[in-house]
Amino acid sequence: MALDAELIDGRWHLRGVTPTSGPVLLGRWHFRVGDHWVGFDDDFSEPFVMRAFFDPPAGTTRREGYGHVGYIQFMRMTHHGRPIPPQVFGGRLADREPYAREKDNYRFVDIMGPKDLKASGVSSPFYAFNAWLSDPSLGNVPASYAVHPLPNGSLYVPGAPDPRASTCASIVAPVTPGLLTRGRITKVLEGRDPARVVEVDRADVRGREPYRIALDELTGGGGPLAGLDERGLSARAIGEYVLLALPDDEDLGETLVVRGEQWRGTGTRVSVHVLSAYEMRDLEGCLGRAAMRRISDHLASHQWDPIRAATGRGTNGLLRDSFDVTSGDSGPFDPADVDDVTFVYTTIVYGVLPHQQTLSRQHRAISGIVWRAGYRWDEDTGRLSLTTVVAPEPATVGQKDVLLFNVRNASAKATAAAVVDPYEFTTATMRRQPFGGGDPVAFVTPNGEAITP
């Protein structure tokens, strides 16, 4: 069944994802790349959500004899083209270290952690299998992941009789994670009483996310934030927390830290902590500089040129590292040269041939896309921030079997420490409100030309 894109209330949707479903969200930004529909949501500044749907000519996958078809996503990080391990970048990507090996240029599969992968019993790192983290009752049978909707996208099983069966393979992935972790937030809140607690029963939740419940409480009925222009808010989802930065002309606004939990069975208890601008700087102000130091040390350990120390007024001192990342970006556009850290996502559709015995013969790469997220270092603020997304383009499809083996090996050796935070996948289902605050991220073509939604 061919998919059709439609613009509804400023968001692109697809029709035809199941035989019976209505329009399915694609994103504020959308692209057609070969047989792939690709969308991005940037309603929250962190993380973005990437969605892709595989829409080949009718009958293609059935003719090849695939038992099921799905997306597998690979990722790597670079500093001006030099590969960076996950632990060197740090933050919420550090947990991916068990999947990354130097001989693969630290590319890794974007999948749940080894411990959870082993517990789930799934046999391949299809991104749709991450839904097991939200609902373990899905088990390890591919057909369970071939319906729509699921938290992280769906597999496609040719000829599936279920009316909810997806007519295509899809992926729903939170991407572009930053350096601030939920563990660091939890630690700073220890021993602090929340500024506001809201308890609502099931009837009053009405499909609202905890951050929306908190805002409704604080801005309505003469609340302390009555009259707030929410268009100036900036939101980030980090673990179980949503951070809402309040607008302020001098960038000194407070940040609401909102957390929801189950209450009285079907209700929701929402706690709101308030951090000042100075507390937020203490919380995350050192993270970017520490990451740049790790990257510089990594480069030096491989006999590559480390990042130069910045010179000039205010850049010297015993307690401060300073970095000059000035790059020659006046020539042809190249994300590896323009951005100080680049996340490279390669998202490939694989078909599984059920009667083959070996991994390499079972998994056949069909088609894929590659896209990039660029981060810039700001010496004045000490922040390493997402500034650019390079639109997807067709990927050069290789089997990448060694990376699949890395996942299996890490899963087989799983220990209690080999965990990737499940929230890195489960937040894909969060309903995000399009706030307008924060620094906008530029979307550009692979040639560097600015584009609009």
Side-chain angles (χ1 to χ4, degrees):
M1 181 182 293
L3 306 179
D4 294 311
E6 179 181 355
L7 186 63
I8 303 174
D9 297 330
R11 295 292 184 274
W12 288 95
H13 293 69
L14 288 179
R15 291 189 180 274
V17 174
T18 76
T20 58
S21 69
V24 173
L25 181 62
L26 183 59
R28 191 168 79 92
W29 302 80
H30 90 296
F31 306 89
R32 183 66 192 263
V33 184
D35 293 332
H36 307 266
W37 291 97
V38 187
F40 293 90
D41 267 333
D42 57 355
D43 293 332
F44 279 25
S45 61
E46 185 184 326
F48 282 16
V49 176
M50 187 277 289
R51 298 178 180 87
F53 298 79
F54 184 50
D55 186 24
T60 300
T61 53
R62 186 189 295 269
R63 285 194 303 269
E64 297 294 335
Y66 297 124
H68 58 276
V69 175
Y71 279 98
I72 296 178
Q73 182 157 271
F74 304 89
M75 185 184 178
R76 64 185 175 95
M77 292 163 286
T78 64
H79 170 75
H80 297 290
R82 304 291 192 184
I84 302 169
Q87 281 190 336
V88 168
F89 180 81
R92 301 202 298 282
L93 285 174
D95 293 343
R96 313 299 179 93
E97 194 72 17
Y99 293 148
R101 296 183 180 181
E102 185 173 7
K103 66 180 181 180
D104 304 321
N105 285 325
Y106 302 111
R107 289 181 177 89
F108 57 90
V109 180
D110 193 5
I111 191 68
M112 70 181 86
K115 182 181 178 182
D116 288 324
L117 194 66
K118 183 178 181 180
S120 72
V122 299
S123 58
S124 302
F126 285 105
Y127 200 91
F129 288 150
N130 288 311
W132 181 87
L133 297 167
S134 300
D135 182 7
S137 70
L138 287 168
N140 60 8
V141 179
S144 300
Y145 298 85
V147 298
H148 177 87
L150 287 176
N152 297 107
S154 304
L155 301 178
Y156 170 61
V157 175
D162 193 324
R164 301 175 301 143
S166 180
T167 63
C168 61
S170 60
I171 178 174
V172 182
V175 291
T176 64
L179 294 168
L180 183 58
T181 64
R182 71 183 181 107
R184 191 171 175 88
I185 297 171
T186 299
K187 186 174 182 179
V188 80
L189 298 182
E190 285 180 355
R192 299 176 59 145
D193 293 328
R196 183 68 63 99
V197 175
V198 187
E199 294 172 339
V200 293
D201 59 28
R202 182 177 182 180
D204 289 332
V205 171
R206 298 191 302 276
R208 293 179 296 167
E209 294 286 350
Y211 75 86
R212 185 64 259 172
I213 294 172
L215 283 174
D216 289 345
E217 171 76 11
L218 295 171
T219 60
L225 296 180
L228 172 70
D229 185 354
E230 294 187 8
R231 293 173 298 178
L233 289 172
S234 175
R236 290 185 286 171
I238 301 174
E240 66 266 46
Y241 303 102
V242 170
L243 277 61
L244 297 170
L246 301 179
D248 184 85
D249 292 339
E250 297 183 359
D251 198 25
L252 294 174
E254 297 172 323
T255 294
L256 309 180
V257 182
V258 182
R259 180 179 182 271
E261 58 186 336
Q262 191 176 32
W263 175 70
R264 291 187 177 177
T266 60
T268 300
R269 183 180 189 271
V270 180
S271 58
V272 184
H273 289 82
V274 181
L275 298 180
S276 71
Y278 302 105
E279 289 174 313
M280 284 301 298
R281 289 173 186 171
D282 287 343
L283 177 64
E284 59 182 338
C286 63
L287 299 180
R289 203 171 294 279
M292 294 298 287
R293 167 49 57 198
R294 292 192 297 271
I295 292 170
S296 183
D297 291 345
H298 170 73
L299 297 175
S301 70
H302 286 71
Q303 286 75 54
W304 296 325
D305 292 335
I307 305 173
R308 297 189 302 271
T311 59
R313 187 174 182 180
T315 59
N316 298 316
L318 294 175
L319 301 180
R320 173 175 176 175
D321 286 323
S322 56
F323 303 99
D324 178 6
V325 292
T326 303
S327 60
D329 56 359
S330 58
F333 181 81
D334 183 348
D337 291 330
V338 173
D339 297 309
D340 302 315
V341 174
T342 300
F343 291 2
V344 183
Y345 289 91
T346 306
T347 310
I348 298 177
V349 173
Y350 278 80
V352 173
L353 298 168
H355 301 298
Q356 299 293 335
Q357 298 301 313
T358 64
L359 184 69
S360 60
R361 291 182 177 179
Q362 284 179 352
H363 293 76
R364 181 176 296 174
I366 301 173
S367 176
I369 58 171
V370 60
W371 63 277
R372 297 169 174 83
Y375 289 69
R376 294 283 185 92
W377 166 250
D378 187 315
E379 177 62 37
D380 293 332
T381 64
R383 295 180 68 90
L384 187 61
S385 304
L386 175 66
T387 58
T388 308
V389 170
V390 181
E393 58 185 326
T396 300
V397 175
Q399 290 301 97
K400 300 185 185 294
D401 290 330
V402 65
L403 298 181
L404 297 176
F405 278 119
N406 285 354
V407 170
R408 287 195 168 182
N409 290 342
S411 178
K413 300 174 182 177
T415 64
V419 175
V420 174
D421 187 349
Y423 282 102
E424 293 304 297
F425 305 98
T426 59
T427 56
T429 61
M430 178 183 290
R431 293 176 290 273
R432 290 164 164 80
Q433 184 171 335
F435 301 115
D439 296 325
V441 174
F443 278 69
V444 300
T445 69
N447 294 324
E449 300 172 355
I451 55 180
T452 56

